[in-house]
Each structure stands twice: as C-alpha cells, then as structure tokens.
PDB file of all heavy atoms in Angstrom:
ATOM      1  N   THR A   1      16.470   4.671  -7.377  1.00 93.00           N
ATOM      2  CA  THR A   1      15.128   4.141  -7.102  1.00 93.00           C
ATOM      3  C   THR A   1      15.243   2.714  -6.565  1.00 93.00           C
ATOM      4  O   THR A   1      14.557   2.369  -5.593  1.00 93.00           O
ATOM      5  CB  THR A   1      14.250   4.162  -8.381  1.00 93.00           C
ATOM      6  OG1 THR A   1      14.175   5.507  -8.842  1.00 93.00           O
ATOM      7  CG2 THR A   1      12.880   3.648  -8.085  1.00 93.00           C
ATOM      8  N   LEU A   2      16.086   1.896  -7.179  1.00 92.00           N
ATOM      9  CA  LEU A   2      16.287   0.531  -6.708  1.00 92.00           C
ATOM     10  C   LEU A   2      16.754   0.536  -5.245  1.00 92.00           C
ATOM     11  O   LEU A   2      16.247  -0.227  -4.427  1.00 92.00           O
ATOM     12  CB  LEU A   2      17.346  -0.174  -7.542  1.00 92.00           C
ATOM     13  CG  LEU A   2      16.855  -1.044  -8.691  1.00 92.00           C
ATOM     14  CD1 LEU A   2      18.027  -1.464  -9.568  1.00 92.00           C
ATOM     15  CD2 LEU A   2      16.103  -2.235  -8.218  1.00 92.00           C
ATOM     16  N   THR A   3      17.688   1.400  -4.941  1.00 93.00           N
ATOM     17  CA  THR A   3      18.198   1.490  -3.576  1.00 93.00           C
ATOM     18  C   THR A   3      17.089   1.848  -2.596  1.00 93.00           C
ATOM     19  O   THR A   3      16.967   1.251  -1.532  1.00 93.00           O
ATOM     20  CB  THR A   3      19.365   2.511  -3.498  1.00 93.00           C
ATOM     21  OG1 THR A   3      20.383   2.117  -4.414  1.00 93.00           O
ATOM     22  CG2 THR A   3      19.934   2.631  -2.110  1.00 93.00           C
ATOM     23  N   SER A   4      16.275   2.825  -2.975  1.00 93.00           N
ATOM     24  CA  SER A   4      15.167   3.251  -2.109  1.00 93.00           C
ATOM     25  C   SER A   4      14.161   2.128  -1.911  1.00 93.00           C
ATOM     26  O   SER A   4      13.726   1.886  -0.772  1.00 93.00           O
ATOM     27  CB  SER A   4      14.463   4.458  -2.702  1.00 93.00           C
ATOM     28  OG  SER A   4      15.319   5.567  -2.783  1.00 93.00           O
ATOM     29  N   VAL A   5      13.790   1.461  -2.963  1.00 90.00           N
ATOM     30  CA  VAL A   5      12.792   0.387  -2.867  1.00 90.00           C
ATOM     31  C   VAL A   5      13.338  -0.749  -1.986  1.00 90.00           C
ATOM     32  O   VAL A   5      12.631  -1.270  -1.130  1.00 90.00           O
ATOM     33  CB  VAL A   5      12.383  -0.138  -4.266  1.00 90.00           C
ATOM     34  CG1 VAL A   5      11.552  -1.387  -4.184  1.00 90.00           C
ATOM     35  CG2 VAL A   5      11.611   0.950  -5.027  1.00 90.00           C
ATOM     36  N   LYS A   6      14.599  -1.110  -2.217  1.00 90.00           N
ATOM     37  CA  LYS A   6      15.202  -2.178  -1.433  1.00 90.00           C
ATOM     38  C   LYS A   6      15.285  -1.783   0.045  1.00 90.00           C
ATOM     39  O   LYS A   6      15.054  -2.622   0.930  1.00 90.00           O
ATOM     40  CB  LYS A   6      16.588  -2.521  -1.950  1.00 90.00           C
ATOM     41  CG  LYS A   6      16.589  -3.280  -3.236  1.00 90.00           C
ATOM     42  CD  LYS A   6      18.029  -3.547  -3.694  1.00 90.00           C
ATOM     43  CE  LYS A   6      18.114  -4.278  -4.976  1.00 90.00           C
ATOM     44  NZ  LYS A   6      19.519  -4.506  -5.392  1.00 90.00           N
ATOM     45  N   THR A   7      15.613  -0.522   0.314  1.00 92.00           N
ATOM     46  CA  THR A   7      15.688  -0.037   1.713  1.00 92.00           C
ATOM     47  C   THR A   7      14.341  -0.142   2.398  1.00 92.00           C
ATOM     48  O   THR A   7      14.245  -0.621   3.527  1.00 92.00           O
ATOM     49  CB  THR A   7      16.224   1.403   1.729  1.00 92.00           C
ATOM     50  OG1 THR A   7      17.535   1.420   1.147  1.00 92.00           O
ATOM     51  CG2 THR A   7      16.292   1.945   3.149  1.00 92.00           C
ATOM     52  N   VAL A   8      13.303   0.322   1.735  1.00 90.00           N
ATOM     53  CA  VAL A   8      11.961   0.273   2.327  1.00 90.00           C
ATOM     54  C   VAL A   8      11.539  -1.180   2.541  1.00 90.00           C
ATOM     55  O   VAL A   8      10.988  -1.528   3.594  1.00 90.00           O
ATOM     56  CB  VAL A   8      10.934   1.015   1.445  1.00 90.00           C
ATOM     57  CG1 VAL A   8       9.530   0.755   1.902  1.00 90.00           C
ATOM     58  CG2 VAL A   8      11.214   2.498   1.437  1.00 90.00           C
ATOM     59  N   CYS A   9      11.821  -2.017   1.580  1.00 87.00           N
ATOM     60  CA  CYS A   9      11.473  -3.443   1.688  1.00 87.00           C
ATOM     61  C   CYS A   9      12.198  -4.073   2.891  1.00 87.00           C
ATOM     62  O   CYS A   9      11.581  -4.785   3.680  1.00 87.00           O
ATOM     63  CB  CYS A   9      11.881  -4.165   0.402  1.00 87.00           C
ATOM     64  SG  CYS A   9      11.285  -5.844   0.259  1.00 87.00           S
ATOM     65  N   SER A  10      13.464  -3.755   3.053  1.00 89.00           N
ATOM     66  CA  SER A  10      14.235  -4.273   4.172  1.00 89.00           C
ATOM     67  C   SER A  10      13.692  -3.758   5.506  1.00 89.00           C
ATOM     68  O   SER A  10      13.581  -4.496   6.481  1.00 89.00           O
ATOM     69  CB  SER A  10      15.704  -3.880   3.986  1.00 89.00           C
ATOM     70  OG  SER A  10      16.461  -4.288   5.094  1.00 89.00           O
ATOM     71  N   ARG A  11      13.361  -2.461   5.544  1.00 91.00           N
ATOM     72  CA  ARG A  11      12.810  -1.870   6.768  1.00 91.00           C
ATOM     73  C   ARG A  11      11.471  -2.522   7.127  1.00 91.00           C
ATOM     74  O   ARG A  11      11.169  -2.755   8.306  1.00 91.00           O
ATOM     75  CB  ARG A  11      12.643  -0.367   6.617  1.00 91.00           C
ATOM     76  CG  ARG A  11      13.993   0.360   6.627  1.00 91.00           C
ATOM     77  CD  ARG A  11      13.886   1.855   6.413  1.00 91.00           C
ATOM     78  NE  ARG A  11      12.817   2.458   7.184  1.00 91.00           N
ATOM     79  CZ  ARG A  11      12.143   3.531   6.773  1.00 91.00           C
ATOM     80  NH1 ARG A  11      12.418   4.099   5.622  1.00 91.00           N
ATOM     81  NH2 ARG A  11      11.194   4.037   7.527  1.00 91.00           N
ATOM     82  N   LEU A  12      10.707  -2.838   6.115  1.00 87.00           N
ATOM     83  CA  LEU A  12       9.411  -3.489   6.322  1.00 87.00           C
ATOM     84  C   LEU A  12       9.619  -4.874   6.924  1.00 87.00           C
ATOM     85  O   LEU A  12       8.968  -5.241   7.911  1.00 87.00           O
ATOM     86  CB  LEU A  12       8.699  -3.593   4.966  1.00 87.00           C
ATOM     87  CG  LEU A  12       7.227  -3.929   4.929  1.00 87.00           C
ATOM     88  CD1 LEU A  12       6.413  -2.973   5.802  1.00 87.00           C
ATOM     89  CD2 LEU A  12       6.737  -3.850   3.494  1.00 87.00           C
ATOM     90  N   ARG A  13      10.546  -5.637   6.380  1.00 86.00           N
ATOM     91  CA  ARG A  13      10.816  -6.970   6.922  1.00 86.00           C
ATOM     92  C   ARG A  13      11.359  -6.897   8.343  1.00 86.00           C
ATOM     93  O   ARG A  13      10.983  -7.683   9.209  1.00 86.00           O
ATOM     94  CB  ARG A  13      11.804  -7.702   6.017  1.00 86.00           C
ATOM     95  CG  ARG A  13      11.225  -8.122   4.690  1.00 86.00           C
ATOM     96  CD  ARG A  13      12.248  -8.907   3.875  1.00 86.00           C
ATOM     97  NE  ARG A  13      11.903  -9.047   2.490  1.00 86.00           N
ATOM     98  CZ  ARG A  13      11.140 -10.003   1.972  1.00 86.00           C
ATOM     99  NH1 ARG A  13      10.628 -10.924   2.764  1.00 86.00           N
ATOM    100  NH2 ARG A  13      10.898 -10.036   0.700  1.00 86.00           N
ATOM    101  N   THR A  14      12.240  -5.921   8.606  1.00 91.00           N
ATOM    102  CA  THR A  14      12.807  -5.741   9.947  1.00 91.00           C
ATOM    103  C   THR A  14      11.717  -5.383  10.952  1.00 91.00           C
ATOM    104  O   THR A  14      11.720  -5.890  12.076  1.00 91.00           O
ATOM    105  CB  THR A  14      13.902  -4.645   9.930  1.00 91.00           C
ATOM    106  OG1 THR A  14      14.913  -5.051   9.000  1.00 91.00           O
ATOM    107  CG2 THR A  14      14.492  -4.424  11.290  1.00 91.00           C
ATOM    108  N   ALA A  15      10.780  -4.531  10.529  1.00 91.00           N
ATOM    109  CA  ALA A  15       9.687  -4.132  11.422  1.00 91.00           C
ATOM    110  C   ALA A  15       8.810  -5.325  11.764  1.00 91.00           C
ATOM    111  O   ALA A  15       8.379  -5.496  12.920  1.00 91.00           O
ATOM    112  CB  ALA A  15       8.842  -3.038  10.784  1.00 91.00           C
ATOM    113  N   VAL A  16       8.584  -6.200  10.816  1.00 89.00           N
ATOM    114  CA  VAL A  16       7.772  -7.414  11.055  1.00 89.00           C
ATOM    115  C   VAL A  16       8.504  -8.327  12.005  1.00 89.00           C
ATOM    116  O   VAL A  16       7.938  -8.890  12.959  1.00 89.00           O
ATOM    117  CB  VAL A  16       7.411  -8.126   9.737  1.00 89.00           C
ATOM    118  CG1 VAL A  16       6.830  -9.499  10.007  1.00 89.00           C
ATOM    119  CG2 VAL A  16       6.451  -7.284   8.930  1.00 89.00           C
ATOM    120  N   GLU A  17       9.803  -8.495  11.794  1.00 90.00           N
ATOM    121  CA  GLU A  17      10.596  -9.376  12.633  1.00 90.00           C
ATOM    122  C   GLU A  17      10.721  -8.862  14.075  1.00 90.00           C
ATOM    123  O   GLU A  17      10.951  -9.654  15.002  1.00 90.00           O
ATOM    124  CB  GLU A  17      11.992  -9.606  12.046  1.00 90.00           C
ATOM    125  CG  GLU A  17      11.940 -10.436  10.771  1.00 90.00           C
ATOM    126  CD  GLU A  17      13.270 -10.480  10.053  1.00 90.00           C
ATOM    127  OE1 GLU A  17      14.286 -10.017  10.620  1.00 90.00           O
ATOM    128  OE2 GLU A  17      13.299 -10.979   8.928  1.00 90.00           O
ATOM    129  N   ALA A  18      10.518  -7.575  14.291  1.00 93.00           N
ATOM    130  CA  ALA A  18      10.622  -7.002  15.625  1.00 93.00           C
ATOM    131  C   ALA A  18       9.336  -7.197  16.438  1.00 93.00           C
ATOM    132  O   ALA A  18       9.334  -6.948  17.649  1.00 93.00           O
ATOM    133  CB  ALA A  18      10.921  -5.490  15.521  1.00 93.00           C
ATOM    134  N   LEU A  19       8.289  -7.622  15.797  1.00 92.00           N
ATOM    135  CA  LEU A  19       7.020  -7.856  16.500  1.00 92.00           C
ATOM    136  C   LEU A  19       7.106  -9.101  17.389  1.00 92.00           C
ATOM    137  O   LEU A  19       7.925  -9.986  17.139  1.00 92.00           O
ATOM    138  CB  LEU A  19       5.890  -8.064  15.467  1.00 92.00           C
ATOM    139  CG  LEU A  19       5.489  -6.870  14.625  1.00 92.00           C
ATOM    140  CD1 LEU A  19       4.513  -7.315  13.536  1.00 92.00           C
ATOM    141  CD2 LEU A  19       4.876  -5.780  15.480  1.00 92.00           C
ATOM    142  N   PRO A  20       6.241  -9.173  18.393  1.00 93.00           N
ATOM    143  CA  PRO A  20       6.165 -10.406  19.185  1.00 93.00           C
ATOM    144  C   PRO A  20       5.805 -11.581  18.280  1.00 93.00           C
ATOM    145  O   PRO A  20       5.163 -11.399  17.238  1.00 93.00           O
ATOM    146  CB  PRO A  20       5.045 -10.118  20.199  1.00 93.00           C
ATOM    147  CG  PRO A  20       4.891  -8.631  20.209  1.00 93.00           C
ATOM    148  CD  PRO A  20       5.342  -8.146  18.866  1.00 93.00           C
ATOM    149  N   ALA A  21       6.191 -12.786  18.675  1.00 90.00           N
ATOM    150  CA  ALA A  21       6.043 -13.988  17.829  1.00 90.00           C
ATOM    151  C   ALA A  21       4.612 -14.186  17.324  1.00 90.00           C
ATOM    152  O   ALA A  21       4.413 -14.467  16.150  1.00 90.00           O
ATOM    153  CB  ALA A  21       6.501 -15.204  18.602  1.00 90.00           C
ATOM    154  N   ASN A  22       3.617 -14.018  18.179  1.00 88.00           N
ATOM    155  CA  ASN A  22       2.235 -14.263  17.750  1.00 88.00           C
ATOM    156  C   ASN A  22       1.762 -13.210  16.710  1.00 88.00           C
ATOM    157  O   ASN A  22       1.003 -13.527  15.816  1.00 88.00           O
ATOM    158  CB  ASN A  22       1.276 -14.305  18.955  1.00 88.00           C
ATOM    159  CG  ASN A  22       1.264 -13.029  19.758  1.00 88.00           C
ATOM    160  OD1 ASN A  22       2.233 -12.266  19.730  1.00 88.00           O
ATOM    161  ND2 ASN A  22       0.181 -12.793  20.473  1.00 88.00           N
ATOM    162  N   GLU A  23       2.210 -11.968  16.831  1.00 91.00           N
ATOM    163  CA  GLU A  23       1.862 -10.953  15.859  1.00 91.00           C
ATOM    164  C   GLU A  23       2.689 -11.083  14.584  1.00 91.00           C
ATOM    165  O   GLU A  23       2.246 -10.711  13.513  1.00 91.00           O
ATOM    166  CB  GLU A  23       2.063  -9.556  16.471  1.00 91.00           C
ATOM    167  CG  GLU A  23       1.096  -9.246  17.595  1.00 91.00           C
ATOM    168  CD  GLU A  23       1.376  -7.900  18.261  1.00 91.00           C
ATOM    169  OE1 GLU A  23       2.159  -7.107  17.684  1.00 91.00           O
ATOM    170  OE2 GLU A  23       0.827  -7.652  19.325  1.00 91.00           O
ATOM    171  N   GLN A  24       3.887 -11.612  14.754  1.00 90.00           N
ATOM    172  CA  GLN A  24       4.802 -11.785  13.617  1.00 90.00           C
ATOM    173  C   GLN A  24       4.211 -12.729  12.573  1.00 90.00           C
ATOM    174  O   GLN A  24       4.290 -12.442  11.373  1.00 90.00           O
ATOM    175  CB  GLN A  24       6.112 -12.358  14.139  1.00 90.00           C
ATOM    176  CG  GLN A  24       7.327 -11.808  13.462  1.00 90.00           C
ATOM    177  CD  GLN A  24       8.579 -12.423  14.047  1.00 90.00           C
ATOM    178  OE1 GLN A  24       8.917 -13.535  13.665  1.00 90.00           O
ATOM    179  NE2 GLN A  24       9.234 -11.720  14.934  1.00 90.00           N
ATOM    180  N   ILE A  25       3.609 -13.779  13.017  1.00 89.00           N
ATOM    181  CA  ILE A  25       2.996 -14.748  12.102  1.00 89.00           C
ATOM    182  C   ILE A  25       1.917 -14.091  11.256  1.00 89.00           C
ATOM    183  O   ILE A  25       1.889 -14.221  10.035  1.00 89.00           O
ATOM    184  CB  ILE A  25       2.452 -15.977  12.855  1.00 89.00           C
ATOM    185  CG1 ILE A  25       3.601 -16.726  13.514  1.00 89.00           C
ATOM    186  CG2 ILE A  25       1.636 -16.879  11.947  1.00 89.00           C
ATOM    187  CD1 ILE A  25       3.161 -17.780  14.519  1.00 89.00           C
ATOM    188  N   PHE A  26       1.034 -13.367  11.926  1.00 87.00           N
ATOM    189  CA  PHE A  26      -0.049 -12.679  11.223  1.00 87.00           C
ATOM    190  C   PHE A  26       0.528 -11.626  10.248  1.00 87.00           C
ATOM    191  O   PHE A  26       0.139 -11.572   9.058  1.00 87.00           O
ATOM    192  CB  PHE A  26      -0.980 -11.972  12.214  1.00 87.00           C
ATOM    193  CG  PHE A  26      -2.026 -11.145  11.542  1.00 87.00           C
ATOM    194  CD1 PHE A  26      -3.140 -11.739  10.940  1.00 87.00           C
ATOM    195  CD2 PHE A  26      -1.919  -9.749  11.492  1.00 87.00           C
ATOM    196  CE1 PHE A  26      -4.115 -10.975  10.305  1.00 87.00           C
ATOM    197  CE2 PHE A  26      -2.878  -8.997  10.844  1.00 87.00           C
ATOM    198  CZ  PHE A  26      -3.970  -9.610  10.259  1.00 87.00           C
ATOM    199  N   ALA A  27       1.480 -10.839  10.724  1.00 88.00           N
ATOM    200  CA  ALA A  27       2.076  -9.762   9.882  1.00 88.00           C
ATOM    201  C   ALA A  27       2.809 -10.374   8.678  1.00 88.00           C
ATOM    202  O   ALA A  27       2.701  -9.861   7.573  1.00 88.00           O
ATOM    203  CB  ALA A  27       3.015  -8.924  10.706  1.00 88.00           C
ATOM    204  N   LYS A  28       3.516 -11.469   8.909  1.00 85.00           N
ATOM    205  CA  LYS A  28       4.262 -12.094   7.817  1.00 85.00           C
ATOM    206  C   LYS A  28       3.317 -12.594   6.726  1.00 85.00           C
ATOM    207  O   LYS A  28       3.581 -12.419   5.536  1.00 85.00           O
ATOM    208  CB  LYS A  28       5.130 -13.246   8.307  1.00 85.00           C
ATOM    209  CG  LYS A  28       6.435 -12.773   8.897  1.00 85.00           C
ATOM    210  CD  LYS A  28       7.310 -13.961   9.253  1.00 85.00           C
ATOM    211  CE  LYS A  28       8.648 -13.434   9.807  1.00 85.00           C
ATOM    212  NZ  LYS A  28       9.548 -14.527  10.140  1.00 85.00           N
ATOM    213  N   THR A  29       2.204 -13.178   7.114  1.00 85.00           N
ATOM    214  CA  THR A  29       1.277 -13.677   6.095  1.00 85.00           C
ATOM    215  C   THR A  29       0.661 -12.531   5.294  1.00 85.00           C
ATOM    216  O   THR A  29       0.403 -12.677   4.107  1.00 85.00           O
ATOM    217  CB  THR A  29       0.148 -14.551   6.704  1.00 85.00           C
ATOM    218  OG1 THR A  29      -0.571 -13.771   7.662  1.00 85.00           O
ATOM    219  CG2 THR A  29       0.703 -15.800   7.342  1.00 85.00           C
ATOM    220  N   GLN A  30       0.464 -11.402   5.948  1.00 84.00           N
ATOM    221  CA  GLN A  30      -0.123 -10.238   5.275  1.00 84.00           C
ATOM    222  C   GLN A  30       0.936  -9.467   4.460  1.00 84.00           C
ATOM    223  O   GLN A  30       0.722  -9.106   3.325  1.00 84.00           O
ATOM    224  CB  GLN A  30      -0.786  -9.308   6.280  1.00 84.00           C
ATOM    225  CG  GLN A  30      -1.866  -9.948   7.096  1.00 84.00           C
ATOM    226  CD  GLN A  30      -3.005 -10.453   6.229  1.00 84.00           C
ATOM    227  OE1 GLN A  30      -3.520  -9.763   5.385  1.00 84.00           O
ATOM    228  NE2 GLN A  30      -3.403 -11.698   6.463  1.00 84.00           N
ATOM    229  N   ILE A  31       2.052  -9.219   5.100  1.00 82.00           N
ATOM    230  CA  ILE A  31       3.090  -8.361   4.510  1.00 82.00           C
ATOM    231  C   ILE A  31       3.886  -9.077   3.427  1.00 82.00           C
ATOM    232  O   ILE A  31       4.201  -8.465   2.391  1.00 82.00           O
ATOM    233  CB  ILE A  31       4.063  -7.856   5.613  1.00 82.00           C
ATOM    234  CG1 ILE A  31       3.319  -7.104   6.696  1.00 82.00           C
ATOM    235  CG2 ILE A  31       5.178  -7.028   5.015  1.00 82.00           C
ATOM    236  CD1 ILE A  31       2.809  -5.761   6.303  1.00 82.00           C
ATOM    237  N   GLU A  32       4.217 -10.348   3.617  1.00 80.00           N
ATOM    238  CA  GLU A  32       5.016 -11.079   2.616  1.00 80.00           C
ATOM    239  C   GLU A  32       4.321 -11.041   1.251  1.00 80.00           C
ATOM    240  O   GLU A  32       5.000 -10.911   0.235  1.00 80.00           O
ATOM    241  CB  GLU A  32       5.249 -12.537   3.056  1.00 80.00           C
ATOM    242  CG  GLU A  32       6.164 -12.684   4.235  1.00 80.00           C
ATOM    243  CD  GLU A  32       7.594 -12.253   3.966  1.00 80.00           C
ATOM    244  OE1 GLU A  32       8.073 -12.452   2.832  1.00 80.00           O
ATOM    245  OE2 GLU A  32       8.219 -11.711   4.898  1.00 80.00           O
ATOM    246  N   ASP A  33       3.017 -11.152   1.242  1.00 81.00           N
ATOM    247  CA  ASP A  33       2.288 -11.109  -0.019  1.00 81.00           C
ATOM    248  C   ASP A  33       2.475  -9.755  -0.705  1.00 81.00           C
ATOM    249  O   ASP A  33       2.690  -9.675  -1.912  1.00 81.00           O
ATOM    250  CB  ASP A  33       0.803 -11.407   0.218  1.00 81.00           C
ATOM    251  CG  ASP A  33       0.037 -11.468  -1.073  1.00 81.00           C
ATOM    252  OD1 ASP A  33       0.491 -12.193  -1.992  1.00 81.00           O
ATOM    253  OD2 ASP A  33      -1.029 -10.813  -1.183  1.00 81.00           O
ATOM    254  N   VAL A  34       2.373  -8.682   0.067  1.00 81.00           N
ATOM    255  CA  VAL A  34       2.552  -7.331  -0.479  1.00 81.00           C
ATOM    256  C   VAL A  34       3.980  -7.183  -1.006  1.00 81.00           C
ATOM    257  O   VAL A  34       4.206  -6.669  -2.101  1.00 81.00           O
ATOM    258  CB  VAL A  34       2.257  -6.245   0.595  1.00 81.00           C
ATOM    259  CG1 VAL A  34       2.683  -4.890   0.128  1.00 81.00           C
ATOM    260  CG2 VAL A  34       0.785  -6.273   0.940  1.00 81.00           C
ATOM    261  N   ILE A  35       4.962  -7.642  -0.206  1.00 80.00           N
ATOM    262  CA  ILE A  35       6.355  -7.534  -0.626  1.00 80.00           C
ATOM    263  C   ILE A  35       6.570  -8.334  -1.920  1.00 80.00           C
ATOM    264  O   ILE A  35       7.170  -7.830  -2.877  1.00 80.00           O
ATOM    265  CB  ILE A  35       7.295  -8.033   0.493  1.00 80.00           C
ATOM    266  CG1 ILE A  35       7.288  -7.047   1.669  1.00 80.00           C
ATOM    267  CG2 ILE A  35       8.719  -8.222  -0.036  1.00 80.00           C
ATOM    268  CD1 ILE A  35       8.049  -7.533   2.887  1.00 80.00           C
ATOM    269  N   ASP A  36       6.082  -9.554  -1.930  1.00 77.00           N
ATOM    270  CA  ASP A  36       6.275 -10.394  -3.129  1.00 77.00           C
ATOM    271  C   ASP A  36       5.610  -9.834  -4.379  1.00 77.00           C
ATOM    272  O   ASP A  36       6.194  -9.817  -5.431  1.00 77.00           O
ATOM    273  CB  ASP A  36       5.790 -11.821  -2.878  1.00 77.00           C
ATOM    274  CG  ASP A  36       6.689 -12.577  -1.917  1.00 77.00           C
ATOM    275  OD1 ASP A  36       7.851 -12.148  -1.731  1.00 77.00           O
ATOM    276  OD2 ASP A  36       6.247 -13.578  -1.353  1.00 77.00           O
ATOM    277  N   ARG A  37       4.401  -9.368  -4.223  1.00 82.00           N
ATOM    278  CA  ARG A  37       3.647  -8.886  -5.390  1.00 82.00           C
ATOM    279  C   ARG A  37       4.116  -7.529  -5.880  1.00 82.00           C
ATOM    280  O   ARG A  37       4.240  -7.306  -7.063  1.00 82.00           O
ATOM    281  CB  ARG A  37       2.160  -8.834  -5.098  1.00 82.00           C
ATOM    282  CG  ARG A  37       1.464 -10.124  -5.409  1.00 82.00           C
ATOM    283  CD  ARG A  37      -0.030 -10.001  -5.423  1.00 82.00           C
ATOM    284  NE  ARG A  37      -0.504  -9.781  -4.057  1.00 82.00           N
ATOM    285  CZ  ARG A  37      -1.525  -8.974  -3.732  1.00 82.00           C
ATOM    286  NH1 ARG A  37      -2.143  -8.350  -4.663  1.00 82.00           N
ATOM    287  NH2 ARG A  37      -1.876  -8.832  -2.493  1.00 82.00           N
ATOM    288  N   HIS A  38       4.352  -6.607  -4.947  1.00 85.00           N
ATOM    289  CA  HIS A  38       4.635  -5.241  -5.361  1.00 85.00           C
ATOM    290  C   HIS A  38       6.099  -4.875  -5.365  1.00 85.00           C
ATOM    291  O   HIS A  38       6.639  -4.439  -6.383  1.00 85.00           O
ATOM    292  CB  HIS A  38       3.847  -4.271  -4.458  1.00 85.00           C
ATOM    293  CG  HIS A  38       2.366  -4.468  -4.571  1.00 85.00           C
ATOM    294  ND1 HIS A  38       1.652  -4.146  -5.687  1.00 85.00           N
ATOM    295  CD2 HIS A  38       1.460  -5.000  -3.693  1.00 85.00           C
ATOM    296  CE1 HIS A  38       0.380  -4.477  -5.512  1.00 85.00           C
ATOM    297  NE2 HIS A  38       0.238  -4.982  -4.306  1.00 85.00           N
ATOM    298  N   PHE A  39       6.755  -5.056  -4.242  1.00 85.00           N
ATOM    299  CA  PHE A  39       8.149  -4.650  -4.144  1.00 85.00           C
ATOM    300  C   PHE A  39       9.025  -5.504  -5.065  1.00 85.00           C
ATOM    301  O   PHE A  39       9.827  -4.957  -5.831  1.00 85.00           O
ATOM    302  CB  PHE A  39       8.663  -4.762  -2.689  1.00 85.00           C
ATOM    303  CG  PHE A  39       8.173  -3.637  -1.814  1.00 85.00           C
ATOM    304  CD1 PHE A  39       6.971  -3.763  -1.140  1.00 85.00           C
ATOM    305  CD2 PHE A  39       8.897  -2.494  -1.658  1.00 85.00           C
ATOM    306  CE1 PHE A  39       6.496  -2.745  -0.330  1.00 85.00           C
ATOM    307  CE2 PHE A  39       8.456  -1.467  -0.872  1.00 85.00           C
ATOM    308  CZ  PHE A  39       7.242  -1.579  -0.174  1.00 85.00           C
ATOM    309  N   THR A  40       8.890  -6.821  -5.004  1.00 87.00           N
ATOM    310  CA  THR A  40       9.720  -7.697  -5.813  1.00 87.00           C
ATOM    311  C   THR A  40       9.468  -7.466  -7.305  1.00 87.00           C
ATOM    312  O   THR A  40      10.444  -7.403  -8.079  1.00 87.00           O
ATOM    313  CB  THR A  40       9.494  -9.160  -5.430  1.00 87.00           C
ATOM    314  OG1 THR A  40       9.718  -9.305  -4.040  1.00 87.00           O
ATOM    315  CG2 THR A  40      10.420 -10.100  -6.199  1.00 87.00           C
ATOM    316  N   SER A  41       8.240  -7.298  -7.700  1.00 87.00           N
ATOM    317  CA  SER A  41       7.980  -7.070  -9.128  1.00 87.00           C
ATOM    318  C   SER A  41       8.542  -5.717  -9.564  1.00 87.00           C
ATOM    319  O   SER A  41       9.070  -5.594 -10.691  1.00 87.00           O
ATOM    320  CB  SER A  41       6.487  -7.181  -9.449  1.00 87.00           C
ATOM    321  OG  SER A  41       5.764  -6.138  -8.853  1.00 87.00           O
ATOM    322  N   GLU A  42       8.471  -4.718  -8.723  1.00 89.00           N
ATOM    323  CA  GLU A  42       9.034  -3.390  -9.056  1.00 89.00           C
ATOM    324  C   GLU A  42      10.550  -3.477  -9.153  1.00 89.00           C
ATOM    325  O   GLU A  42      11.151  -2.932 -10.089  1.00 89.00           O
ATOM    326  CB  GLU A  42       8.639  -2.355  -8.019  1.00 89.00           C
ATOM    327  CG  GLU A  42       9.086  -0.960  -8.347  1.00 89.00           C
ATOM    328  CD  GLU A  42       8.454  -0.378  -9.614  1.00 89.00           C
ATOM    329  OE1 GLU A  42       7.342  -0.781 -10.000  1.00 89.00           O
ATOM    330  OE2 GLU A  42       9.087   0.489 -10.235  1.00 89.00           O
TER     331      GLU A  42
END
C-alpha cells in the first residue's frame, strides 16, 4: 500500500511539473495542499 500511495503521489507531482509554467503555479497551489493533507498523512 505504501508503494502504491507513493507511486500515485509521485505521478501526481510529475503531472503538475509537466504543465506549462502559468498552469503549474495554479496546479501546485491546489494539488500540494491535497498531497500534504491526504497523501502525506496516509
């Protein structure tokens, strides 16, 4: 389960980083909160 959660979390961060710079900022502010609250706590 840890491996799966970490993989999804990494894929999520990679997908955000692949966005154009202007969209990346918006996505990071939205997604980082979800990652920090849910993925990291899990």
Side-chain angles (χ1 to χ4, degrees):
T1 303
L2 265 170
T3 302
S4 296
V5 170
K6 286 178 180 180
T7 300
V8 170
C9 190
S10 176
R11 288 178 45 211
L12 194 53
R13 289 183 196 272
T14 301
V16 169
E17 290 171 10
L19 292 171
N22 60 335
E23 293 176 13
Q24 218 180 80
I25 294 168
F26 175 77
K28 279 186 179 181
T29 59
Q30 301 300 311
I31 302 288
E32 290 295 325
D33 184 50
V34 170
I35 290 172
D36 288 341
R37 271 193 290 142
H38 299 290
F39 285 88
T40 304
S41 68
E42 185 64 26

